[in-house]
Amino acid sequence: MAENLSIQGNSKEERYQNLLPQVLALIEGESDLIAAMGNACAAMHHTFGWLWTGFYIVKNDELVLGPFQGPIACTRIQKGRGVCGSAWQQATTLVVSNVDDFAGHIACSSLARSEIVLPLIDRDGVVLAVLDVDSAELATFDEVDAKYLGEICQALVRLF
């Protein structure tokens, strides 16, 4: 296993195209969910320099904080609460350009300005976890992020 990522490219998509195979290789070679999530999280976070990057895992009808990079975070989130709980409830990716415009947004950090949350969904349509990414900038996330982060999420589903 390589100890460093090799990320090249000027555009967001080029950086994802470099990052994705490396993260998938880290996940492919790991049998432990927490270890795989931890490395995937670190790789994504350090490639893009986001404010917060992490996973919440569904446990006993709530989202419980999993591996993450960034400032301390909320440890438990109820279904339907905030962006994470809403993405879980709706079983869909949510892209929020301005968190101040999202009714019920949970502000774990006052620095967060935009957010993307992607559910990890099994073959039966059950949400197992969510990937949550926050940025200190407005309108950071779009369909490019949803596409590539979605591929990473799907690769992690096999470890549940």
Side-chain angles (χ1 to χ4, degrees), residues 12 16 50 52 95-97 114-116 133-135 137-146 149:
K12 179 179 4 184
Y16 271 120
W50 296 317
W52 197 91
V95 177
V96 180
S97 295
S114 61
E115 184 171 4
I116 185 170
V133 184
D134 295 342
S135 172
E137 305 295 325
L138 291 170
T140 298
F141 306 106
D142 57 24
E143 66 280 348
V144 172
D145 300 285
L149 295 175

mmCIF file of all heavy atoms in Angstrom, residues 12 16 50 52 95-97 114-116 133-135 137-146 149:
data_model
loop_
_atom_site.group_PDB
_atom_site.id
_atom_site.type_symbol
_atom_site.label_atom_id
_atom_site.label_comp_id
_atom_site.label_asym_id
_atom_site.label_seq_id
_atom_site.Cartn_x
_atom_site.Cartn_y
_atom_site.Cartn_z
ATOM 1 N N LYS A 12 -11.394 20.243 -10.705
ATOM 2 C CA LYS A 12 -11.935 19.350 -9.689
ATOM 3 C C LYS A 12 -12.091 17.935 -10.259
ATOM 4 O O LYS A 12 -11.733 16.963 -9.605
ATOM 5 C CB LYS A 12 -13.283 19.883 -9.206
ATOM 6 C CG LYS A 12 -13.923 19.006 -8.174
ATOM 7 C CD LYS A 12 -15.256 19.429 -7.591
ATOM 8 C CE LYS A 12 -15.958 20.618 -8.067
ATOM 9 N NZ LYS A 12 -17.200 20.901 -7.311
ATOM 10 N N TYR A 16 -10.412 14.432 -8.966
ATOM 11 C CA TYR A 16 -11.208 13.239 -8.634
ATOM 12 C C TYR A 16 -10.759 12.032 -9.456
ATOM 13 O O TYR A 16 -10.692 10.915 -8.948
ATOM 14 C CB TYR A 16 -12.693 13.479 -8.883
ATOM 15 C CG TYR A 16 -13.446 14.063 -7.717
ATOM 16 C CD1 TYR A 16 -14.099 15.283 -7.842
ATOM 17 C CD2 TYR A 16 -13.548 13.387 -6.504
ATOM 18 C CE1 TYR A 16 -14.820 15.832 -6.788
ATOM 19 C CE2 TYR A 16 -14.270 13.921 -5.436
ATOM 20 C CZ TYR A 16 -14.902 15.139 -5.590
ATOM 21 O OH TYR A 16 -15.612 15.675 -4.541
ATOM 22 N N TRP A 50 -11.212 20.394 2.317
ATOM 23 C CA TRP A 50 -12.515 20.773 2.841
ATOM 24 C C TRP A 50 -12.439 21.059 4.331
ATOM 25 O O TRP A 50 -11.491 20.673 5.011
ATOM 26 C CB TRP A 50 -13.527 19.666 2.580
ATOM 27 C CG TRP A 50 -13.806 19.411 1.133
ATOM 28 C CD1 TRP A 50 -14.006 20.339 0.155
ATOM 29 C CD2 TRP A 50 -13.926 18.139 0.492
ATOM 30 N NE1 TRP A 50 -14.251 19.723 -1.050
ATOM 31 C CE2 TRP A 50 -14.212 18.371 -0.870
ATOM 32 C CE3 TRP A 50 -13.830 16.828 0.930
ATOM 33 C CZ2 TRP A 50 -14.404 17.347 -1.785
ATOM 34 C CZ3 TRP A 50 -14.025 15.800 0.031
ATOM 35 C CH2 TRP A 50 -14.302 16.060 -1.320
ATOM 36 N N TRP A 52 -14.605 19.858 6.682
ATOM 37 C CA TRP A 52 -14.927 18.648 7.439
ATOM 38 C C TRP A 52 -15.334 17.550 6.462
ATOM 39 O O TRP A 52 -16.098 17.791 5.524
ATOM 40 C CB TRP A 52 -16.080 18.932 8.410
ATOM 41 C CG TRP A 52 -16.227 17.910 9.491
ATOM 42 C CD1 TRP A 52 -15.639 17.948 10.717
ATOM 43 C CD2 TRP A 52 -17.006 16.706 9.456
ATOM 44 N NE1 TRP A 52 -16.008 16.831 11.444
ATOM 45 C CE2 TRP A 52 -16.847 16.056 10.693
ATOM 46 C CE3 TRP A 52 -17.810 16.111 8.495
ATOM 47 C CZ2 TRP A 52 -17.476 14.845 10.999
ATOM 48 C CZ3 TRP A 52 -18.429 14.902 8.804
ATOM 49 C CH2 TRP A 52 -18.258 14.287 10.045
ATOM 50 N N VAL A 95 -27.212 18.252 -1.983
ATOM 51 C CA VAL A 95 -26.185 19.270 -2.202
ATOM 52 C C VAL A 95 -26.774 20.595 -1.731
ATOM 53 O O VAL A 95 -27.815 21.027 -2.239
ATOM 54 C CB VAL A 95 -25.780 19.359 -3.690
ATOM 55 C CG1 VAL A 95 -24.767 20.474 -3.907
ATOM 56 C CG2 VAL A 95 -25.234 18.027 -4.184
ATOM 57 N N VAL A 96 -26.106 21.219 -0.764
ATOM 58 C CA VAL A 96 -26.605 22.467 -0.189
ATOM 59 C C VAL A 96 -25.568 23.552 -0.459
ATOM 60 O O VAL A 96 -24.473 23.537 0.100
ATOM 61 C CB VAL A 96 -26.860 22.311 1.329
ATOM 62 C CG1 VAL A 96 -27.376 23.615 1.913
ATOM 63 C CG2 VAL A 96 -27.839 21.168 1.594
ATOM 64 N N SER A 97 -25.929 24.502 -1.315
ATOM 65 C CA SER A 97 -25.000 25.574 -1.701
ATOM 66 C C SER A 97 -24.748 26.562 -0.580
ATOM 67 O O SER A 97 -23.669 27.136 -0.474
ATOM 68 C CB SER A 97 -25.531 26.322 -2.923
ATOM 69 O OG SER A 97 -25.568 25.449 -4.024
ATOM 70 N N SER A 114 -21.241 25.483 2.955
ATOM 71 C CA SER A 114 -21.946 24.609 2.017
ATOM 72 C C SER A 114 -21.654 23.164 2.390
ATOM 73 O O SER A 114 -20.713 22.877 3.146
ATOM 74 C CB SER A 114 -21.549 24.905 0.564
ATOM 75 O OG SER A 114 -20.166 24.708 0.338
ATOM 76 N N GLU A 115 -22.495 22.248 1.855
ATOM 77 C CA GLU A 115 -22.413 20.867 2.317
ATOM 78 C C GLU A 115 -22.941 19.921 1.248
ATOM 79 O O GLU A 115 -23.817 20.272 0.461
ATOM 80 C CB GLU A 115 -23.263 20.742 3.588
ATOM 81 C CG GLU A 115 -23.240 19.423 4.282
ATOM 82 C CD GLU A 115 -23.939 19.475 5.647
ATOM 83 O OE1 GLU A 115 -24.515 20.530 6.014
ATOM 84 O OE2 GLU A 115 -23.902 18.455 6.351
ATOM 85 N N ILE A 116 -22.396 18.709 1.245
ATOM 86 C CA ILE A 116 -22.933 17.619 0.446
ATOM 87 C C ILE A 116 -23.002 16.393 1.347
ATOM 88 O O ILE A 116 -22.084 16.147 2.130
ATOM 89 C CB ILE A 116 -22.092 17.330 -0.825
ATOM 90 C CG1 ILE A 116 -22.759 16.254 -1.693
ATOM 91 C CG2 ILE A 116 -20.666 16.959 -0.476
ATOM 92 C CD1 ILE A 116 -22.127 16.088 -3.076
ATOM 93 N N VAL A 133 -19.770 16.067 3.897
ATOM 94 C CA VAL A 133 -18.628 16.928 3.599
ATOM 95 C C VAL A 133 -19.084 18.382 3.706
ATOM 96 O O VAL A 133 -20.080 18.766 3.105
ATOM 97 C CB VAL A 133 -18.051 16.662 2.190
ATOM 98 C CG1 VAL A 133 -16.805 17.515 1.964
ATOM 99 C CG2 VAL A 133 -17.741 15.188 1.983
ATOM 100 N N ASP A 134 -18.336 19.152 4.493
ATOM 101 C CA ASP A 134 -18.623 20.577 4.680
ATOM 102 C C ASP A 134 -17.485 21.412 4.107
ATOM 103 O O ASP A 134 -16.322 21.023 4.199
ATOM 104 C CB ASP A 134 -18.728 20.921 6.169
ATOM 105 C CG ASP A 134 -19.897 20.247 6.860
ATOM 106 O OD1 ASP A 134 -20.822 19.783 6.176
ATOM 107 O OD2 ASP A 134 -19.872 20.182 8.104
ATOM 108 N N SER A 135 -17.854 22.565 3.568
ATOM 109 C CA SER A 135 -16.869 23.514 3.056
ATOM 110 C C SER A 135 -17.052 24.859 3.744
ATOM 111 O O SER A 135 -18.177 25.234 4.098
ATOM 112 C CB SER A 135 -17.050 23.690 1.546
ATOM 113 O OG SER A 135 -16.232 24.742 1.071
ATOM 114 N N GLU A 137 -16.581 27.508 2.155
ATOM 115 C CA GLU A 137 -16.960 28.370 1.033
ATOM 116 C C GLU A 137 -18.382 28.051 0.588
ATOM 117 O O GLU A 137 -18.831 26.909 0.675
ATOM 118 C CB GLU A 137 -16.009 28.159 -0.153
ATOM 119 C CG GLU A 137 -14.549 28.343 0.170
ATOM 120 C CD GLU A 137 -14.193 29.763 0.565
ATOM 121 O OE1 GLU A 137 -14.794 30.701 0.014
ATOM 122 O OE2 GLU A 137 -13.324 29.929 1.440
ATOM 123 N N LEU A 138 -19.081 29.048 0.068
ATOM 124 C CA LEU A 138 -20.411 28.837 -0.503
ATOM 125 C C LEU A 138 -20.312 28.066 -1.818
ATOM 126 O O LEU A 138 -19.318 28.184 -2.545
ATOM 127 C CB LEU A 138 -21.102 30.179 -0.759
ATOM 128 C CG LEU A 138 -21.517 30.980 0.470
ATOM 129 C CD1 LEU A 138 -21.966 32.378 0.063
ATOM 130 C CD2 LEU A 138 -22.627 30.262 1.231
ATOM 131 N N ALA A 139 -21.344 27.295 -2.122
ATOM 132 C CA ALA A 139 -21.516 26.634 -3.422
ATOM 133 C C ALA A 139 -20.292 25.831 -3.865
ATOM 134 O O ALA A 139 -19.907 25.869 -5.023
ATOM 135 C CB ALA A 139 -21.903 27.663 -4.485
ATOM 136 N N THR A 140 -19.708 25.092 -2.945
ATOM 137 C CA THR A 140 -18.518 24.295 -3.258
ATOM 138 C C THR A 140 -18.870 23.043 -4.048
ATOM 139 O O THR A 140 -18.111 22.631 -4.924
ATOM 140 C CB THR A 140 -17.791 23.894 -1.958
ATOM 141 O OG1 THR A 140 -17.361 25.077 -1.302
ATOM 142 C CG2 THR A 140 -16.618 22.980 -2.210
ATOM 143 N N PHE A 141 -20.003 22.441 -3.771
ATOM 144 C CA PHE A 141 -20.306 21.101 -4.279
ATOM 145 C C PHE A 141 -21.313 21.129 -5.418
ATOM 146 O O PHE A 141 -22.190 21.982 -5.478
ATOM 147 C CB PHE A 141 -20.817 20.233 -3.127
ATOM 148 C CG PHE A 141 -19.869 20.224 -1.958
ATOM 149 C CD1 PHE A 141 -20.164 20.929 -0.802
ATOM 150 C CD2 PHE A 141 -18.657 19.545 -2.033
ATOM 151 C CE1 PHE A 141 -19.288 20.946 0.276
ATOM 152 C CE2 PHE A 141 -17.771 19.565 -0.967
ATOM 153 C CZ PHE A 141 -18.085 20.258 0.184
ATOM 154 N N ASP A 142 -21.169 20.146 -6.312
ATOM 155 C CA ASP A 142 -22.033 20.056 -7.487
ATOM 156 C C ASP A 142 -22.145 18.607 -7.932
ATOM 157 O O ASP A 142 -21.773 17.691 -7.193
ATOM 158 C CB ASP A 142 -21.509 20.958 -8.615
ATOM 159 C CG ASP A 142 -20.064 20.638 -9.032
ATOM 160 O OD1 ASP A 142 -19.596 19.493 -8.827
ATOM 161 O OD2 ASP A 142 -19.388 21.531 -9.561
ATOM 162 N N GLU A 143 -22.607 18.419 -9.165
ATOM 163 C CA GLU A 143 -22.811 17.061 -9.692
ATOM 164 C C GLU A 143 -21.496 16.298 -9.866
ATOM 165 O O GLU A 143 -21.477 15.071 -9.812
ATOM 166 C CB GLU A 143 -23.592 17.093 -11.008
ATOM 167 C CG GLU A 143 -22.870 17.746 -12.177
ATOM 168 C CD GLU A 143 -22.926 19.279 -12.176
ATOM 169 O OE1 GLU A 143 -23.703 19.877 -11.419
ATOM 170 O OE2 GLU A 143 -22.153 19.877 -12.951
ATOM 171 N N VAL A 144 -20.389 16.986 -10.054
ATOM 172 C CA VAL A 144 -19.087 16.311 -10.161
ATOM 173 C C VAL A 144 -18.750 15.658 -8.824
ATOM 174 O O VAL A 144 -18.357 14.486 -8.768
ATOM 175 C CB VAL A 144 -17.971 17.305 -10.592
ATOM 176 C CG1 VAL A 144 -16.597 16.661 -10.511
ATOM 177 C CG2 VAL A 144 -18.240 17.821 -12.000
ATOM 178 N N ASP A 145 -18.927 16.394 -7.738
ATOM 179 C CA ASP A 145 -18.690 15.828 -6.410
ATOM 180 C C ASP A 145 -19.633 14.658 -6.159
ATOM 181 O O ASP A 145 -19.212 13.600 -5.678
ATOM 182 C CB ASP A 145 -18.911 16.896 -5.325
ATOM 183 C CG ASP A 145 -17.993 18.079 -5.500
ATOM 184 O OD1 ASP A 145 -16.794 17.961 -5.179
ATOM 185 O OD2 ASP A 145 -18.478 19.126 -5.972
ATOM 186 N N ALA A 146 -20.898 14.841 -6.483
ATOM 187 C CA ALA A 146 -21.889 13.778 -6.256
ATOM 188 C C ALA A 146 -21.509 12.507 -7.000
ATOM 189 O O ALA A 146 -21.621 11.402 -6.447
ATOM 190 C CB ALA A 146 -23.275 14.262 -6.669
ATOM 191 N N LEU A 149 -17.894 11.102 -5.361
ATOM 192 C CA LEU A 149 -18.079 10.708 -3.967
ATOM 193 C C LEU A 149 -19.058 9.539 -3.883
ATOM 194 O O LEU A 149 -18.903 8.649 -3.045
ATOM 195 C CB LEU A 149 -18.565 11.887 -3.126
ATOM 196 C CG LEU A 149 -17.580 13.049 -2.985
ATOM 197 C CD1 LEU A 149 -18.226 14.207 -2.232
ATOM 198 C CD2 LEU A 149 -16.279 12.614 -2.327
#
